Amino acid sequence: MVLPLELLQQIKPTDFTSQKEYEAWKKRIFKLLEAGLLMHPHLPLDNTSTDARRLRQIIRGAVERPLETGKNYESMQNLRSVVMSLACRSFDGSISEKCHWAEGFPLNLRIYRILLEACFDVNEPTSVIEEVDEVLELIKKTWEILGVNQMLHNLCFGWILFHRYVSTGQVESDLLFAANNLLMEIEKDAKAAKDADYSKILSSILNTILDWAGQRLRDYHDIFHDDNIDSLETVVSLGVLSATILVEGISQEYRGKKNQVDVAHDRVDTYIRSSLRTAFAQKLKKVNSSKKLSKNQPNHLPVLSILAQDVTELAFDEKTIFSPILKRWHPLAAGVAVATLHSCYGNELRQFVSGITELTPDAIQVLLAADKLEKNLVQIAVEDSVDSEDGGKSIIQEMPPYEAEAAIGNLAKSWINIRVDRLKEWVCRNLQQEVWNARANKESIAPSAVEVLRTIDETMEAFFMLPIPMHSVLLPELISGLDGCLQHYVLKAKSGCGSRNNFIPTMPALTRCTMGSKFGAFKRKEKLHTAQKRKSQVGTTNGDNSFGVPQLCCRINTFQHIRKELEVLEKKTVHQLRSSHFTRTDNITNGIEKRFELSAASSVEAIQQLSEAIAYKVIFHDLSHVLWDGLYVGEVSSSRIEPFLQELEHYLEIISSTVHDRVRTRVITDIMKASFEGFLLVLLAGGPSRAFTHQDSDIIEEDFKFLCDLFWSNGDGLPADLIDKFSTSVRSILPLYHNDTESLIEEFKRLTLESYGSSAKSRLPLPPTSGQWNPTEPNTVLRVLCYRSDETAVKFLKKAYNLPKKL
């Protein structure tokens, strides 16, 4: 049975001395049903349960209007129906014959807490009845029935006392004091507790107490005054005990760190800092408000000067009134308080100084007031920490001084920022106008770069002329800003110049040679088609003359000039630092040689990128008509490499006469590498307009020798070992053209079988194009076969892959 339901139906109004007493009893029964079926049910309720919603409506209605509980009344039948429906639920969703209407433990605790409320006077809610001891003895007789023990009693009674204090306006401090005493007992109980239900309820109650205490203590300056200051110690004790039990009594994680954590100290530290920050904010708001009212009055004090006086008063009040109480848990309570005030005022002072463009009388007045305030705060901190282990060092470290030097430093930083911003604007504006004319000066560098470097040099000169005592401290910030401007110049100057991938042609699909049609109108049409197709594939820049080869050379010279000038500037800076009267010797060369590292690194990277861009632009774009569209198109003997070499030599002369000698070798080496790559692309991916016979191998090899000789230039060009190093790939592939077709086919089969294993025996797979040409790579050998003008090669490719004759 559901006992409250049966009692409701069986007990009559005549069993009570009055109807009022009967109605009060019924209300208690309804609360019991609500607690057992809705608040602490045996099985958790679904949020959408209609029975739960109906029961709430019935109970709400019974409170407003008495419910008839006779057996035959419809209201009672409805109540019984919904109660039994909720009580007889089972885990599988079916209706059980047994009732498990409430979760015993939480319901029992709820009943026990209600019983404990009998200890209070009905007419004076803040007073405990005189017979409290006798009542408690009676209540304790329910322990066995309700499953309560001394630990649970302490927890419940402590909560009742605390809750009664809070709910009655927080005026009876004896209630709070009694709750705190019980919490001390609970602290002992918690250390021995192993019951999970107890720990869960303990955690819930303590978190509630901790939240309440925290709200008051995080703003104790506003909450506690002369009339209630006596309760501060009890509130702190409640908060600290709650936090301690939660961490030490419940948390498993804490038990391995007992020597590392001081919960009480940390908690009170947090309260002090929080309350002082709030009190400071209120003072600041008040000063700002009064300032607005008196802004038209003559000889008014600056806001921060008035605030410094108010903060001084606040600090002495803290030392006299609050710190003696808080010192019980935090030995440096006053020190932490003044350190917090020091930090808060320091934040405002820094904002004030950051808005100063010059040292005005107001600024001086504020700095003097700040200095006086700081001396008072430091004095309180020192006195408070005389007996501490570190002599107050930790607190003093939290109070970085308000030095006039810091204000001067900020003004100097403002000076730096203005000049850096001005240089950024200049760089952006002048780069848009730069035409990169290699003949603009004898060094073939951009005039805009000369101007940027001159501005940087003048800025550095002006910086060392500033009458400040911290050149070495502020120098990294100045150089960082100038370095960023110069890096921006380099990055913008190289943008849009292209790279290897912009110019390298797209490789056409594999085809096999067309026998018997190597000459004539068909080949001419195919050649024209290929040239047109190539034109659409060539990566270009934006068509602007500023991206021509001479202009790109001018850019490279400019980046090299920047690198050289940065080295000079760094040496000059070291000399200027040594000449400064205020600079300590240990700060002079501290990392100065790497200060312009961003722009220096960007210049190196830009030289590398543009060198490669020039190479691939020349080979695959500017000379595409004599290389990609001309070399070996049609008859090999009549389309050899001489036209390409003639035009390439012309470009090499332009580059040699334009590019700075420190980077000239690099650029020409990149052109050589690109030309070797282009030569291989013609041989291995030149499209259906090209075909090579076995006899053409000598011509190809001779042409490549001519290409290498161009870069060697009878010893006046690149070193022979450098040419040998980068020509290795081509030289390793050229012997394939000397091999007869049958040997090539056998070699291709062997390499393919090695790569793919036995799966390639039934049908040769088509090896993918890696672009890493190598005589031992199947795709490379296959491409030699694709361009072999030979019946055997054509039939093999037709049978193995059914390759088309044209695109």
Side-chain angles (χ1 to χ4, degrees):
M1 69 175 77
V2 180
L3 183 60
L5 181 67
E6 302 302 328
L7 292 173
L8 197 60
Q9 185 168 312
Q10 299 299 328
I11 295 178
K12 303 295 186 291
T14 55
D15 296 322
F16 294 86
T17 57
S18 68
Q19 182 67 24
K20 183 179 178 182
E21 188 179 338
Y22 171 63
E23 293 299 337
W25 172 82
K26 278 205 302 184
K27 286 181 179 179
R28 289 198 295 274
I29 293 296
F30 281 125
K31 285 184 177 180
L32 194 58
L33 281 171
E34 182 181 31
L37 289 166
L38 299 179
M39 298 174 70
H40 306 292
H42 179 65
L43 292 179
L45 283 171
D46 187 351
N47 291 333
T48 61
S49 171
T50 55
D51 289 330
R53 190 164 61 250
R54 283 176 58 202
L55 181 57
R56 286 191 186 95
Q57 291 171 351
I58 291 170
I59 293 172
R60 196 180 304 120
V63 172
E64 296 170 357
R65 189 177 65 181
L67 183 77
E68 294 295 342
T69 55
K71 184 175 182 180
N72 296 322
Y73 281 100
E74 183 182 355
S75 57
M76 190 62 197
Q77 291 173 356
N78 290 337
L79 177 61
R80 175 175 287 279
S81 172
V82 72
V83 167
M84 297 308 292
S85 176
L86 288 168
C88 295
R89 292 175 301 129
S90 61
F91 284 102
D92 60 6
S94 63
I95 302 298
S96 171
E97 294 180 1
K98 295 180 180 180
C99 291
H100 296 287
W101 67 284
E103 183 69 22
F105 182 70
L107 178 62
N108 290 353
L109 278 188
R110 185 174 182 83
I111 293 170
Y112 189 70
R113 290 202 300 270
I114 292 171
L115 289 173
L116 289 173
E117 294 283 355
C119 294
F120 293 96
D121 194 321
V122 175
N123 297 317
E124 292 189 29
T126 61
S127 299
V128 177
I129 59 175
E130 292 181 6
E131 304 86 352
V132 63
D133 292 333
E134 292 87 340
V135 171
L136 283 174
E137 286 301 318
L138 283 172
I139 291 173
K140 285 182 179 181
K141 291 180 179 180
T142 66
W143 282 13
E144 188 174 349
I145 300 169
L146 296 176
V148 175
N149 55 23
Q150 186 66 49
M151 289 170 59
L152 286 169
H153 167 78
N154 291 343
L155 185 57
C156 290
F157 199 35
W159 167 254
I160 292 297
L161 291 168
F162 169 77
H163 187 264
R164 180 59 62 118
Y165 171 77
V166 174
S167 61
T168 55
Q170 306 178 21
V171 293
E172 186 51 68
S173 57
D174 287 346
L175 291 173
L176 195 66
F177 185 75
N180 185 62
N181 287 339
L182 268 175
L183 200 56
M184 293 178 188
E185 294 299 318
I186 293 169
E187 182 181 23
K188 300 173 187 174
D189 295 341
K191 292 177 180 177
K194 296 181 180 178
D195 181 64
D197 287 331
Y198 174 83
S199 296
K200 183 178 179 182
I201 294 169
L202 175 63
S203 177
S204 175
I205 288 174
L206 292 178
N207 275 308
T208 303
I209 295 174
L210 185 59
D211 287 345
W212 174 85
Q215 288 176 5
R216 298 175 67 74
L217 294 174
R218 281 191 289 271
D219 189 14
Y220 62 77
H221 289 86
D222 193 46
I223 299 293
F224 296 96
H225 309 285
D226 293 339
D227 55 345
N228 67 348
I229 190 66
D230 293 339
S231 64
L232 172 62
E233 185 169 6
T234 308
V235 175
V236 176
S237 179
L238 274 172
V240 167
L241 280 171
S242 299
T244 302
I245 297 169
L246 282 169
V247 175
E248 297 182 7
I250 298 176
S251 173
Q252 296 295 325
E253 187 179 330
Y254 168 80
R255 299 195 173 164
K257 304 179 180 178
K258 286 190 177 180
N259 296 328
Q260 303 173 25
V261 179
D262 187 341
V263 180
H265 175 279
D266 294 349
R267 183 64 55 172
V268 172
D269 189 276
T270 301
Y271 293 149
I272 294 171
R273 294 180 190 276
S274 174
S275 187
L276 264 301
R277 289 191 193 102
T278 303
F280 178 86
Q282 291 170 348
K283 294 284 186 186
L284 178 59
K285 184 178 180 181
K286 181 180 176 182
V287 170
N288 282 327
S289 298
S290 62
K291 178 69 176 177
K292 290 178 182 177
L293 296 174
S294 61
K295 63 181 180 180
N296 295 323
Q297 297 177 7
N299 302 321
H300 63 276
L301 287 172
V303 168
L304 289 189
S305 295
I306 301 171
L307 184 62
Q309 296 172 4
D310 291 349
V311 171
T312 301
E313 293 175 7
L314 184 61
F316 281 110
D317 285 346
E318 180 74 20
K319 175 188 175 184
T320 306
I321 300 170
F322 298 107
S323 295
I325 298 172
L326 300 172
K327 210 172 181 68
R328 171 182 162 189
W329 296 277
H330 197 309
L332 299 178
V336 168
V338 296
T340 304
L341 290 173
H342 185 277
S343 174
C344 291
Y345 188 86
N347 291 334
E348 299 300 319
L349 185 65
R350 279 191 292 275
Q351 290 184 30
F352 173 79
V353 174
S354 67
I356 302 173
T357 56
E358 57 183 347
L359 288 178
T360 61
D362 277 5
I364 295 172
Q365 199 168 18
V366 168
L367 290 171
L368 289 174
D371 185 61
K372 184 178 179 181
L373 167 64
E374 182 175 49
K375 288 176 180 176
N376 287 325
L377 296 180
V378 170
Q379 182 64 30
I380 293 173
V382 170
E383 291 174 358
D384 188 55
S385 55
V386 170
D387 299 326
S388 65
E389 293 181 3
D390 65 352
K393 186 181 295 184
S394 59
I395 294 296
I396 298 300
Q397 285 176 347
E398 288 189 45
M399 304 168 69
Y402 307 149
E403 294 179 351
E405 183 177 324
I408 297 171
N410 284 334
L411 291 173
K413 287 179 182 179
S414 176
W415 181 92
I416 290 171
N417 292 336
I418 289 171
R419 276 148 187 79
V420 169
D421 291 343
R422 194 181 296 162
L423 181 58
K424 282 181 183 175
E425 293 175 7
W426 189 95
V427 166
C428 293
R429 186 172 62 251
N430 281 267
L431 268 177
Q432 294 174 351
Q433 303 169 0
E434 184 59 71
V435 295
W436 306 102
N437 181 6
R439 299 179 180 178
N441 46 53
K442 64 179 182 180
E443 294 90 357
S444 297
I445 58 177
S448 58
V450 176
E451 283 300 306
V452 169
L453 291 167
R454 182 185 61 79
T455 303
I456 289 175
D457 185 58
E458 290 176 354
T459 303
M460 296 292 288
E461 289 274 4
F463 170 75
F464 283 105
M465 292 177 67
L466 291 175
I468 58 174
M470 68 278 292
H471 288 115
S472 61
V473 176
L474 294 174
L475 182 59
E477 186 170 340
L478 172 63
I479 291 184
S480 176
L482 298 176
D483 191 25
C485 292
L486 199 52
Q487 183 193 30
H488 179 69
Y489 178 93
V490 173
L491 296 178
K492 290 286 286 184
K494 77 169 186 175
S495 65
C497 294
S499 64
R500 175 186 184 278
N501 293 335
N502 292 111
F503 301 107
I504 199 78
T506 303
M507 283 188 279
L510 290 173
T511 57
R512 55 197 170 94
C513 284
T514 304
M515 298 304 297
S517 59
K518 193 167 183 180
F519 307 102
F522 175 75
K523 268 296 160 189
R524 290 176 59 80
K525 281 168 78 177
E526 190 167 51
K527 177 178 177 181
L528 181 62
H529 168 76
T530 305
Q532 290 171 342
K533 185 170 183 181
R534 167 69 196 120
K535 205 167 191 178
S536 67
Q537 292 171 341
V538 169
T540 61
T541 55
N542 59 12
D544 192 340
N545 286 337
S546 62
F547 294 99
V549 170
Q551 287 76 20
L552 294 178
C553 292
C554 178
R555 280 177 163 90
I556 287 183
N557 288 343
T558 300
F559 301 145
Q560 177 59 29
H561 179 69
I562 289 173
R563 288 182 62 195
K564 182 182 70 174
E565 288 301 308
L566 285 179
E567 294 173 1
V568 174
L569 187 59
E570 286 168 355
K571 292 177 182 177
K572 186 176 179 181
T573 302
V574 173
H575 174 72
Q576 288 170 320
L577 268 177
R578 288 197 176 111
S579 303
S580 174
H581 300 297
F582 303 104
T583 306
R584 296 195 304 269
T585 54
D586 57 342
N587 287 327
I588 289 177
T589 56
N590 184 19
I592 190 66
E593 68 279 357
K594 295 183 179 179
R595 292 273 170 79
F596 282 94
E597 54 189 8
L598 291 178
S599 50
S602 296
S603 297
V604 171
E605 184 182 338
I607 290 171
Q608 294 171 354
Q609 179 185 323
L610 262 64
S611 176
E612 190 176 77
I614 289 175
Y616 282 87
K617 173 179 167 58
V618 167
I619 299 302
F620 292 104
H621 182 269
D622 296 359
L623 299 182
S624 63
H625 60 289
V626 285
L627 178 69
W628 190 254
D629 301 334
L631 182 61
Y632 302 145
V633 172
E635 181 64 41
V636 172
S637 60
S638 59
S639 55
R640 293 184 64 175
I641 203 168
E642 286 86 351
F644 172 71
L645 296 180
Q646 289 173 3
E647 296 203 27
L648 176 58
E649 185 176 14
H650 171 67
Y651 274 94
L652 291 176
E653 289 173 356
I654 293 174
I655 291 166
S656 296
S657 62
T658 306
V659 175
H660 192 280
D661 55 4
R662 292 286 296 273
V663 290
R664 187 181 301 144
T665 298
R666 178 183 187 90
V667 176
I668 294 177
T669 301
D670 282 342
I671 293 174
M672 178 184 70
K673 289 160 61 178
S675 67
F676 290 171
E677 186 175 342
F679 189 78
L680 276 180
L681 275 177
V682 166
L683 295 179
L684 300 173
S689 61
R690 290 180 172 88
F692 304 102
T693 65
H694 185 209
Q695 291 74 27
D696 292 333
S697 58
D698 291 336
I699 293 176
I700 295 170
E701 195 159 322
E702 186 178 30
D703 280 354
F704 183 68
K705 181 180 180 301
F706 291 156
L707 180 59
C708 293
D709 288 345
L710 174 65
F711 289 101
W712 183 60
S713 188
N714 294 321
D716 294 331
L718 296 177
D721 57 345
L722 194 65
I723 298 172
D724 290 341
K725 175 183 175 182
F726 291 110
S727 64
T728 303
S729 179
V730 182
R731 294 185 190 280
S732 68
I733 291 169
L734 289 182
L736 293 175
Y737 289 85
H738 287 285
N739 294 347
D740 57 62
T741 303
E742 289 77 9
S743 299
L744 284 173
I745 291 172
E746 289 304 315
E747 178 68 5
F748 172 69
K749 289 179 178 179
R750 183 184 67 79
L751 292 173
T752 304
L753 283 170
E754 286 180 1
S755 299
Y756 292 92
S758 59
S759 61
K761 288 183 178 179
S762 57
R763 180 176 178 80
L764 288 172
L766 185 66
T769 300
S770 67
Q772 303 298 316
W773 312 125
N774 192 296
T776 61
E777 191 235 3
N779 184 265
T780 303
V781 180
L782 176 63
R783 287 179 174 275
V784 175
L785 282 169
C786 287
Y787 294 99
R788 175 59 64 90
S789 181
D790 179 274
E791 189 71 32
T792 305
V794 171
K795 287 181 179 180
F796 169 74
L797 296 172
K798 169 74 173 174
K799 181 179 179 182
Y801 303 116
N802 196 27
L803 293 180
K805 293 183 179 179
K806 60 182 179 179
L807 296 175

